[in-house]
Amino acid sequence: MSKTFTDRLREDRRLVLLRLLSEQPGYRANSSNLHAGLYALGIAATRDDVTTDLHWLKEQSLVRLESLPEVPDLVIATITSRGDDVVSGVAIVPGVRRPGPR
């Protein structure tokens, strides 16, 4: 079954989220900053897209998530070593675009 354009965009967005996290001091960022990072890179996404992708990445053990009770719509994501392996191209996870060679 071939992937739709929407599927490809989602896979790319997930890789970019992981890349953004891998470039942050402490390897973590909140969902609002990640949304702004996607926008700055020309990737159209809603805040709901970002939150949904972060929860999906968590299910794949690529990120850890923390919620802040005082700010229920904000999530803090931290990349895991497995997530970093995906960014580096060492691990392949269906649903996340594989990065090209550097």
Side-chain angles (χ1 to χ4, degrees):
M1 179 179 198
S2 65
K3 295 178 188 174
T4 66
F5 184 65
T6 302
D7 292 336
R8 292 179 188 279
L9 288 176
R10 185 180 310 113
E11 289 177 356
D12 185 61
R13 188 173 64 232
R14 290 171 178 166
L15 176 62
V16 173
L17 286 169
L18 291 173
R19 281 185 170 161
L20 288 169
L21 289 169
S22 74
E23 295 169 356
Q24 299 307 304
Y27 304 101
R28 63 195 306 236
N30 68 51
S31 54
S32 182
N33 287 337
L34 292 169
H35 180 257
L38 290 173
Y39 181 81
L41 294 170
I43 299 171
T46 66
R47 291 181 185 275
D48 188 55
D49 289 335
V50 173
T51 302
T52 300
D53 284 339
L54 289 174
H55 283 280
W56 185 90
L57 292 167
K58 178 187 176 207
E59 290 174 7
Q60 309 310 308
S61 301
L62 303 176
V63 300
R64 288 187 308 276
L65 298 180
E66 300 171 50
S67 296
L68 300 174
E70 59 275 7
V71 189
D73 293 336
L74 193 69
V75 177
I76 298 173
T78 306
I79 194 168
T80 64
S81 57
R82 183 168 188 243
D84 195 49
D85 285 346
V86 170
V87 171
S88 301
V90 176
I92 299 170
V93 174
V96 180
R97 186 175 68 86
R98 186 168 187 216
R102 293 183 182 204

